[in-house]
Amino acid sequence: MKTKNEILTALGGTGEERLLLAGLLDKEQTCRTRGYLTHTKFLSMGERAKCMEAVRLAGASGHALFWGGYEDAERGIYLFYPDYLDADSARQAAPLALLRAHKSKADTLTHRDYLGALMGLQIDRAVVGDIIVHDEGADILVLEDMADFIMLHFAQAGRKHISLTREPVESLRAAAAVEKTGSGSVASPRLDSVAALVFGLPRKDAQARIEKGLVFVNNLPCSKPERLVAEGDKITVRGIGRARVTAFGGTSRKGRLFVEFVKNA
């Protein structure tokens, strides 16, 4: 178990990271000493990884969890819960609100339209979680204490009129999963080789994106191009998409390894 200062020294590479981790550790201490649920704001995938490691170093993993309103959420909050709650109860008590944006059937709105309009309200990106676009509009997860403000002021996205209703988080509409299957061969199951194949990138481009922290494996950043990918691993390339390796099997006459995968279309 590390002290707060030791964790900040080990993980806080920038001033922003130190502030993030200091706030996280303060939330954990408050939960432990005062006995009530505490939480962060919404975290990006990179922030989540930093916080996860800080929680591990602090020895607090037993009463902490990441939750974004549904399994496999990209953005979520870190929850610290007291002894009288279990993980499921903590998720149910999470201070999240679901706002459903309704649009005209004739209008086409994208994730960027909704997010851009929300940021136009001059609110912090960290109070908004995942935005799940569907045929009727979008389901937007936000922090509970910002829900009323957004309900009052959010009436237009992409220059199109929308209306909002507040719904139980449990009624979240999962995005229609449109997956495309693919296959190919790689010299080895290295992350740079697999990412290049799956996302149609030059290998040097894949390497550069990995080294810049833009590639995630199973929701955790990976900066090592040589990391070996296994069956079932999920790969996310920020700004491009997500994929999952479904199988490795057999080799070509030239010794290349065959790969099968599915990715978001």
Side-chain angles (χ1 to χ4, degrees):
M1 184 184 299
K2 302 290 186 180
T3 66
K4 178 179 178 178
N5 286 337
E6 289 173 335
I7 294 171
L8 295 181
T9 299
L11 302 178
T14 66
E16 287 185 358
E17 289 175 346
R18 290 180 66 88
L19 284 173
L20 170 70
L21 297 176
L24 172 87
L25 296 171
D26 287 345
K27 298 288 186 184
E28 189 278 327
Q29 183 180 32
T30 298
C31 173
R32 180 163 36 84
T33 57
R34 299 188 181 181
Y36 58 79
L37 188 80
T38 59
H39 65 92
T40 67
K41 292 185 177 182
F42 282 102
L43 305 170
S44 67
M45 293 178 72
E47 291 170 336
R48 172 186 178 180
K50 283 279 185 180
C51 289
M52 182 181 296
E53 181 62 10
V55 167
R56 186 188 70 81
L57 292 175
S61 300
H63 71 126
L65 61 87
F66 176 85
W67 184 239
Y70 66 104
E71 295 297 332
D72 205 32
E74 182 170 313
R75 294 177 63 84
I77 63 177
Y78 238 112
L79 287 166
F80 297 103
Y81 53 95
D83 293 340
Y84 59 83
L85 293 178
D86 59 17
D88 287 340
S89 298
R91 291 186 185 94
Q92 293 175 7
L96 303 182
L98 171 60
L99 305 183
R100 181 161 292 154
H102 305 268
K103 68 174 184 64
S104 168
K105 290 184 179 180
D107 293 336
T108 300
L109 293 172
T110 66
H111 183 281
R112 179 175 293 183
D113 291 325
Y114 290 108
L115 180 59
L118 284 165
M119 295 302 96
L121 301 179
Q122 303 299 309
I123 60 177
D124 190 338
R125 178 67 179 94
V127 306
V128 180
D130 282 3
I131 300 173
I132 301 173
V133 179
H134 47 72
D135 290 341
E136 297 178 17
D139 279 14
I140 305 168
L141 289 151
V142 302
L143 289 181
E144 171 69 41
D145 58 9
M146 287 299 297
D148 288 344
F149 176 86
I150 295 172
M151 287 283 293
L152 182 63
H153 296 284
F154 189 33
Q156 185 171 310
R159 298 185 178 181
K160 305 295 184 180
H161 176 75
I162 61 170
S163 61
L164 290 180
T165 57
R166 184 161 176 166
E167 308 291 341
V169 174
E170 296 76 20
S171 69
L172 181 78
R173 294 181 181 176
V178 180
E179 292 187 330
K180 180 180 179 181
T181 61
S183 62
S185 65
V186 292
S188 75
R190 285 171 49 117
L191 178 59
D192 55 353
S193 295
V194 176
L197 169 67
V198 172
F199 296 102
L201 301 171
R203 186 171 173 183
K204 287 185 178 180
D205 188 0
Q207 288 177 341
R209 290 172 184 268
I210 294 167
E211 291 168 352
K212 290 178 181 178
L214 300 178
V215 178
F216 299 78
V217 179
N218 299 326
N219 296 324
L220 296 176
C222 181
S223 59
K224 297 181 179 180
E226 68 275 14
R227 182 206 193 277
L228 298 183
V229 176
E231 289 184 5
D233 279 350
K234 294 181 292 183
I235 303 173
T236 301
V237 179
R238 185 176 292 170
I240 295 182
R242 296 181 178 185
R244 177 171 50 86
V245 175
T246 55
F248 286 108
T251 55
S252 69
R253 291 181 180 180
K254 295 183 178 180
R256 292 177 64 83
L257 180 65
F258 291 116
V259 186
E260 295 180 6
F261 58 88
V262 294
K263 67 176 180 178
N264 292 350

